[in-house]
Amino acid sequence: MNYLSFNVKRCRLLGGNDNIISKSSGIAYYMHRDQRVQDNWAFVYSQDLAVKHNLPLYVLAGFNVKHPENPEGTRRAIDFTIGGLKEVEKECTELGIQFHMFKDHHVPMFERILKFIKETSVRCIVADFSPLHPHRNQMNELAKRLDSSSCLLQVDAHNIVPVWEASKKDEPRATEMRNQIMPQFDEYFTEFPRIKNHPTKVLDPLPAVNWEEIRNSVTVDETVQSCEWAKPGTSHGMQHLKRFLTEGLHIYNEKRNIPTVDAISNLSPWFHSGQVSAQRAVIEVKKFEEQYPKSVYKFVDEAVVWSEMSDNFCFYNDNYDKLSGAPQWAQDTLNEHRSDKREYVYTKEQFEKAQTHDNLWNAAQIQLRDEGKMHGFMRMYWAKKILEWSENPDEAIAIALYLNDHYSLDGADSNGFAGVMWSIAGVHDPPKWGERPVYGKIRYMSYNGCKGKFDIFEYIKKYQSG
Ligand code: FAD
């Protein structure tokens, strides 16, 4: 592997001292958000370091959310992750890389990693990147506790342009984000070196992971079960990508906002868990640039500009999940309309059970609940109506995030925080909409507006209750 193939701007030192690498007994990649072996810059960098210093390579993984308190603590989400990690373990074993699955789910991740460092003398940890609080807090806690005899490095393996390079501030809208990202795109949009058979093996390999035992040891909401259409793992994700290239991409530009047509990629569950790299998808999609230029442009815009803007939002805005994280104009307008009379007010439970007066909204909620993913167009309508029918905007944000993260296979993602905040709280949207009750100047969507865009009755028929 060519050491120069890795752009070092993808990496930053979070704690400790990176001059100690040659004194470490190995390199450990803590795989959190990017659960795949190939097409993974954090893995590429970890193997580069290990090869350069003749060291064995470890992959560390584990659940680091407190189930079942976190909304994403469902059988659906956990089984999707386990399915992905099983593939990672198999591939690591074939490549002579030690896969290490942490078991003690209730111990904070930073403590588990510190214990691993102590027990193995592996002093160099490479982590992948997420802008969300749970991961950031764990990495900060770990970094604080490392002295100059070890180090914690972080690689942004999720975004094409690393979030800290894309922009130095919270970008207000897609136009500004596009202007930041696109001039840097070619520098980072390079083919991935392959992870190869690792030359230096661990001396005492661990036994294979007992996945059944791991699966049974996590307490989760068992009522939210796996979905037949979305099988976990990189191999299934790559099959979906192939299907999209042949069946969806040619109509993506024209039909991606029509919920009754299969024009979108449906790749978000695999992107979210990192089982498929968005960069790989973009590499494959761009091969069709001459045939379908508009669709390719649109897909790249969504998967790069909009998605990386979500990471930018969560990275630079600590309040990405509450009204105080909204732009000032949106906070002001929502607060001015806080006491407006709502025509309907529903509780979280009524929303969850799809018990509103609106059959289109209920159908969207049923799609989310039963299929683990709602069509992107309906997501906007769904969240805006939660604003319209909740006691206040704070509660609307909390309910929308809970339902999204509890049921959606791509939930608890920066795209979800940005999507909910876009719909309810004006994030990344200009204040140019006419003023109306409850919404103030936030962009509005209506039942009749949807009727004018697609055959809502076909959609309702497909997802009606009972
Ligand atoms: P495609 O149209 O095929 O797009 C390909 C990829 O581009 C997506 O997988 C995603 O990575 C990215 N993308 C597309 N649209 C957006 C967007 N508006 N913002 C950011 N990235 C985008 N996305 C999630 O990944 N997880 C969520 O939890 C989530 N919750 C949302 C909640 C609301 C209320 C809204 C309005 C949007 C939400 N989104 C979320 C963003 C978007 O709706 C989904 O990414 C998209 O529907 C996923 O389906 P797909 O992979 O078929 O998309």
mmCIF file of all heavy atoms in Angstrom, residues 81-107:
data_model
loop_
_atom_site.group_PDB
_atom_site.id
_atom_site.type_symbol
_atom_site.label_atom_id
_atom_site.label_comp_id
_atom_site.label_asym_id
_atom_site.label_seq_id
_atom_site.Cartn_x
_atom_site.Cartn_y
_atom_site.Cartn_z
ATOM 1 N N THR A 81 -27.003 -3.754 13.169
ATOM 2 C CA THR A 81 -25.584 -3.536 13.509
ATOM 3 C C THR A 81 -24.857 -4.867 13.662
ATOM 4 O O THR A 81 -23.738 -5.033 13.146
ATOM 5 C CB THR A 81 -25.473 -2.739 14.833
ATOM 6 O OG1 THR A 81 -26.209 -1.543 14.674
ATOM 7 C CG2 THR A 81 -24.045 -2.401 15.167
ATOM 8 N N ILE A 82 -25.480 -5.799 14.364
ATOM 9 C CA ILE A 82 -24.818 -7.089 14.575
ATOM 10 C C ILE A 82 -24.556 -7.775 13.229
ATOM 11 O O ILE A 82 -23.468 -8.303 12.983
ATOM 12 C CB ILE A 82 -25.662 -7.992 15.514
ATOM 13 C CG1 ILE A 82 -25.557 -7.447 16.939
ATOM 14 C CG2 ILE A 82 -25.204 -9.454 15.447
ATOM 15 C CD1 ILE A 82 -26.351 -8.212 17.978
ATOM 16 N N GLY A 83 -25.548 -7.723 12.344
ATOM 17 C CA GLY A 83 -25.368 -8.340 11.019
ATOM 18 C C GLY A 83 -24.177 -7.737 10.288
ATOM 19 O O GLY A 83 -23.397 -8.437 9.636
ATOM 20 N N GLY A 84 -24.024 -6.419 10.421
ATOM 21 C CA GLY A 84 -22.906 -5.743 9.755
ATOM 22 C C GLY A 84 -21.577 -6.126 10.386
ATOM 23 O O GLY A 84 -20.599 -6.428 9.693
ATOM 24 N N LEU A 85 -21.551 -6.146 11.716
ATOM 25 C CA LEU A 85 -20.281 -6.444 12.405
ATOM 26 C C LEU A 85 -19.845 -7.899 12.196
ATOM 27 O O LEU A 85 -18.656 -8.195 12.170
ATOM 28 C CB LEU A 85 -20.402 -6.124 13.895
ATOM 29 C CG LEU A 85 -20.441 -4.626 14.235
ATOM 30 C CD1 LEU A 85 -20.654 -4.410 15.729
ATOM 31 C CD2 LEU A 85 -19.153 -3.912 13.784
ATOM 32 N N LYS A 86 -20.826 -8.793 12.058
ATOM 33 C CA LYS A 86 -20.487 -10.201 11.777
ATOM 34 C C LYS A 86 -19.656 -10.293 10.504
ATOM 35 O O LYS A 86 -18.675 -11.007 10.427
ATOM 36 C CB LYS A 86 -21.785 -10.988 11.530
ATOM 37 C CG LYS A 86 -22.297 -11.731 12.714
ATOM 38 C CD LYS A 86 -23.477 -12.568 12.223
ATOM 39 C CE LYS A 86 -24.264 -13.119 13.354
ATOM 40 N NZ LYS A 86 -25.488 -13.785 12.949
ATOM 41 N N GLU A 87 -20.083 -9.536 9.492
ATOM 42 C CA GLU A 87 -19.332 -9.540 8.221
ATOM 43 C C GLU A 87 -17.944 -8.947 8.423
ATOM 44 O O GLU A 87 -16.968 -9.422 7.854
ATOM 45 C CB GLU A 87 -20.059 -8.704 7.156
ATOM 46 C CG GLU A 87 -20.935 -9.532 6.267
ATOM 47 C CD GLU A 87 -21.445 -8.741 5.051
ATOM 48 O OE1 GLU A 87 -20.722 -7.906 4.480
ATOM 49 O OE2 GLU A 87 -22.614 -8.986 4.682
ATOM 50 N N VAL A 88 -17.875 -7.878 9.232
ATOM 51 C CA VAL A 88 -16.575 -7.245 9.485
ATOM 52 C C VAL A 88 -15.647 -8.247 10.166
ATOM 53 O O VAL A 88 -14.480 -8.411 9.789
ATOM 54 C CB VAL A 88 -16.736 -5.972 10.356
ATOM 55 C CG1 VAL A 88 -15.386 -5.433 10.796
ATOM 56 C CG2 VAL A 88 -17.501 -4.895 9.594
ATOM 57 N N GLU A 89 -16.180 -8.969 11.162
ATOM 58 C CA GLU A 89 -15.342 -9.943 11.883
ATOM 59 C C GLU A 89 -14.792 -10.997 10.907
ATOM 60 O O GLU A 89 -13.606 -11.331 10.919
ATOM 61 C CB GLU A 89 -16.141 -10.638 12.987
ATOM 62 C CG GLU A 89 -15.254 -11.582 13.796
ATOM 63 C CD GLU A 89 -16.001 -12.685 14.529
ATOM 64 O OE1 GLU A 89 -17.165 -12.977 14.173
ATOM 65 O OE2 GLU A 89 -15.400 -13.284 15.431
ATOM 66 N N LYS A 90 -15.679 -11.494 10.043
ATOM 67 C CA LYS A 90 -15.274 -12.551 9.101
ATOM 68 C C LYS A 90 -14.152 -12.053 8.186
ATOM 69 O O LYS A 90 -13.144 -12.731 7.986
ATOM 70 C CB LYS A 90 -16.511 -12.960 8.289
ATOM 71 C CG LYS A 90 -16.295 -14.117 7.362
ATOM 72 C CD LYS A 90 -17.657 -14.640 6.869
ATOM 73 C CE LYS A 90 -17.462 -15.721 5.820
ATOM 74 N NZ LYS A 90 -17.067 -15.186 4.515
ATOM 75 N N GLU A 91 -14.356 -10.847 7.659
ATOM 76 C CA GLU A 91 -13.359 -10.299 6.736
ATOM 77 C C GLU A 91 -12.032 -10.032 7.448
ATOM 78 O O GLU A 91 -10.960 -10.294 6.898
ATOM 79 C CB GLU A 91 -13.905 -9.004 6.129
ATOM 80 C CG GLU A 91 -13.532 -8.826 4.671
ATOM 81 C CD GLU A 91 -14.246 -7.614 4.061
ATOM 82 O OE1 GLU A 91 -15.390 -7.310 4.447
ATOM 83 O OE2 GLU A 91 -13.630 -6.968 3.188
ATOM 84 N N CYS A 92 -12.119 -9.525 8.682
ATOM 85 C CA CYS A 92 -10.895 -9.268 9.461
ATOM 86 C C CYS A 92 -10.143 -10.583 9.662
ATOM 87 O O CYS A 92 -8.924 -10.639 9.492
ATOM 88 C CB CYS A 92 -11.233 -8.666 10.829
ATOM 89 S SG CYS A 92 -11.657 -6.935 10.755
ATOM 90 N N THR A 93 -10.854 -11.617 10.034
ATOM 91 C CA THR A 93 -10.206 -12.912 10.293
ATOM 92 C C THR A 93 -9.496 -13.396 9.026
ATOM 93 O O THR A 93 -8.358 -13.854 9.078
ATOM 94 C CB THR A 93 -11.269 -13.936 10.757
ATOM 95 O OG1 THR A 93 -11.967 -13.358 11.848
ATOM 96 C CG2 THR A 93 -10.632 -15.244 11.187
ATOM 97 N N GLU A 94 -10.148 -13.267 7.888
ATOM 98 C CA GLU A 94 -9.534 -13.705 6.625
ATOM 99 C C GLU A 94 -8.274 -12.897 6.295
ATOM 100 O O GLU A 94 -7.380 -13.381 5.620
ATOM 101 C CB GLU A 94 -10.542 -13.567 5.472
ATOM 102 C CG GLU A 94 -11.618 -14.645 5.516
ATOM 103 C CD GLU A 94 -12.861 -14.299 4.674
ATOM 104 O OE1 GLU A 94 -12.850 -13.273 3.951
ATOM 105 O OE2 GLU A 94 -13.844 -15.048 4.765
ATOM 106 N N LEU A 95 -8.240 -11.638 6.798
ATOM 107 C CA LEU A 95 -7.111 -10.759 6.459
ATOM 108 C C LEU A 95 -6.040 -10.721 7.561
ATOM 109 O O LEU A 95 -5.117 -9.904 7.508
ATOM 110 C CB LEU A 95 -7.619 -9.329 6.206
ATOM 111 C CG LEU A 95 -8.499 -9.142 4.969
ATOM 112 C CD1 LEU A 95 -9.143 -7.763 4.962
ATOM 113 C CD2 LEU A 95 -7.672 -9.334 3.692
ATOM 114 N N GLY A 96 -6.188 -11.564 8.570
ATOM 115 C CA GLY A 96 -5.172 -11.605 9.633
ATOM 116 C C GLY A 96 -5.230 -10.405 10.556
ATOM 117 O O GLY A 96 -4.225 -9.978 11.122
ATOM 118 N N ILE A 97 -6.440 -9.839 10.709
ATOM 119 C CA ILE A 97 -6.627 -8.674 11.588
ATOM 120 C C ILE A 97 -7.484 -9.132 12.774
ATOM 121 O O ILE A 97 -8.492 -9.833 12.579
ATOM 122 C CB ILE A 97 -7.326 -7.528 10.804
ATOM 123 C CG1 ILE A 97 -6.403 -7.057 9.662
ATOM 124 C CG2 ILE A 97 -7.719 -6.380 11.722
ATOM 125 C CD1 ILE A 97 -7.093 -6.291 8.557
ATOM 126 N N GLN A 98 -7.090 -8.748 13.984
ATOM 127 C CA GLN A 98 -7.819 -9.222 15.168
ATOM 128 C C GLN A 98 -9.075 -8.393 15.415
ATOM 129 O O GLN A 98 -8.981 -7.181 15.632
ATOM 130 C CB GLN A 98 -6.905 -9.153 16.399
ATOM 131 C CG GLN A 98 -7.575 -9.570 17.688
ATOM 132 C CD GLN A 98 -7.984 -11.031 17.670
ATOM 133 O OE1 GLN A 98 -7.130 -11.908 17.594
ATOM 134 N NE2 GLN A 98 -9.290 -11.305 17.707
ATOM 135 N N PHE A 99 -10.237 -9.042 15.386
ATOM 136 C CA PHE A 99 -11.493 -8.344 15.689
ATOM 137 C C PHE A 99 -11.815 -8.566 17.158
ATOM 138 O O PHE A 99 -11.822 -9.691 17.644
ATOM 139 C CB PHE A 99 -12.621 -8.890 14.806
ATOM 140 C CG PHE A 99 -13.931 -8.184 15.015
ATOM 141 C CD1 PHE A 99 -14.209 -7.010 14.341
ATOM 142 C CD2 PHE A 99 -14.881 -8.692 15.902
ATOM 143 C CE1 PHE A 99 -15.413 -6.344 14.542
ATOM 144 C CE2 PHE A 99 -16.087 -8.029 16.105
ATOM 145 C CZ PHE A 99 -16.344 -6.854 15.414
ATOM 146 N N HIS A 100 -12.085 -7.475 17.866
ATOM 147 C CA HIS A 100 -12.318 -7.555 19.311
ATOM 148 C C HIS A 100 -13.662 -6.903 19.626
ATOM 149 O O HIS A 100 -13.813 -5.696 19.460
ATOM 150 C CB HIS A 100 -11.168 -6.808 20.010
ATOM 151 C CG HIS A 100 -11.238 -6.830 21.498
ATOM 152 N ND1 HIS A 100 -10.417 -7.600 22.274
ATOM 153 C CD2 HIS A 100 -12.031 -6.162 22.362
ATOM 154 C CE1 HIS A 100 -10.697 -7.422 23.550
ATOM 155 N NE2 HIS A 100 -11.674 -6.539 23.628
ATOM 156 N N MET A 101 -14.629 -7.715 20.044
ATOM 157 C CA MET A 101 -15.960 -7.175 20.359
ATOM 158 C C MET A 101 -16.068 -6.982 21.876
ATOM 159 O O MET A 101 -15.998 -7.948 22.635
ATOM 160 C CB MET A 101 -17.026 -8.163 19.859
ATOM 161 C CG MET A 101 -18.447 -7.699 20.031
ATOM 162 S SD MET A 101 -18.865 -6.380 18.855
ATOM 163 C CE MET A 101 -20.469 -5.875 19.492
ATOM 164 N N PHE A 102 -16.242 -5.727 22.302
ATOM 165 C CA PHE A 102 -16.425 -5.479 23.734
ATOM 166 C C PHE A 102 -17.775 -6.033 24.168
ATOM 167 O O PHE A 102 -18.769 -5.894 23.449
ATOM 168 C CB PHE A 102 -16.425 -3.967 24.024
ATOM 169 C CG PHE A 102 -15.088 -3.313 23.866
ATOM 170 C CD1 PHE A 102 -14.904 -2.304 22.928
ATOM 171 C CD2 PHE A 102 -14.012 -3.681 24.663
ATOM 172 C CE1 PHE A 102 -13.678 -1.669 22.798
ATOM 173 C CE2 PHE A 102 -12.775 -3.047 24.534
ATOM 174 C CZ PHE A 102 -12.614 -2.050 23.597
ATOM 175 N N LYS A 103 -17.795 -6.604 25.381
ATOM 176 C CA LYS A 103 -19.055 -7.199 25.834
ATOM 177 C C LYS A 103 -19.798 -6.328 26.845
ATOM 178 O O LYS A 103 -21.008 -6.298 26.853
ATOM 179 C CB LYS A 103 -18.758 -8.550 26.487
ATOM 180 C CG LYS A 103 -18.461 -9.632 25.468
ATOM 181 C CD LYS A 103 -18.315 -10.962 26.154
ATOM 182 C CE LYS A 103 -17.903 -12.009 25.132
ATOM 183 N NZ LYS A 103 -17.226 -13.127 25.747
ATOM 184 N N ASP A 104 -19.053 -5.666 27.730
ATOM 185 C CA ASP A 104 -19.705 -4.971 28.852
ATOM 186 C C ASP A 104 -20.407 -3.690 28.381
ATOM 187 O O ASP A 104 -19.893 -2.593 28.538
ATOM 188 C CB ASP A 104 -18.689 -4.683 29.962
ATOM 189 C CG ASP A 104 -17.269 -4.525 29.407
ATOM 190 O OD1 ASP A 104 -17.132 -4.468 28.170
ATOM 191 O OD2 ASP A 104 -16.323 -4.418 30.197
ATOM 192 N N HIS A 105 -21.609 -3.891 27.819
ATOM 193 C CA HIS A 105 -22.316 -2.778 27.160
ATOM 194 C C HIS A 105 -22.592 -1.581 28.057
ATOM 195 O O HIS A 105 -22.788 -0.488 27.569
ATOM 196 C CB HIS A 105 -23.668 -3.251 26.618
ATOM 197 C CG HIS A 105 -23.606 -4.549 25.915
ATOM 198 N ND1 HIS A 105 -22.757 -4.781 24.856
ATOM 199 C CD2 HIS A 105 -24.281 -5.705 26.119
ATOM 200 C CE1 HIS A 105 -22.918 -6.018 24.441
ATOM 201 N NE2 HIS A 105 -23.824 -6.596 25.190
ATOM 202 N N HIS A 106 -22.681 -1.797 29.369
ATOM 203 C CA HIS A 106 -23.079 -0.680 30.232
ATOM 204 C C HIS A 106 -21.904 0.110 30.779
ATOM 205 O O HIS A 106 -22.094 1.139 31.423
ATOM 206 C CB HIS A 106 -24.006 -1.175 31.345
ATOM 207 C CG HIS A 106 -25.287 -1.698 30.774
ATOM 208 N ND1 HIS A 106 -26.214 -0.869 30.198
ATOM 209 C CD2 HIS A 106 -25.747 -2.951 30.623
ATOM 210 C CE1 HIS A 106 -27.219 -1.596 29.734
ATOM 211 N NE2 HIS A 106 -26.949 -2.864 29.975
ATOM 212 N N VAL A 107 -20.710 -0.350 30.482
ATOM 213 C CA VAL A 107 -19.521 0.406 30.897
ATOM 214 C C VAL A 107 -19.258 1.437 29.805
ATOM 215 O O VAL A 107 -19.299 1.108 28.616
ATOM 216 C CB VAL A 107 -18.306 -0.550 31.043
ATOM 217 C CG1 VAL A 107 -17.040 0.225 31.364
ATOM 218 C CG2 VAL A 107 -18.593 -1.616 32.079
#
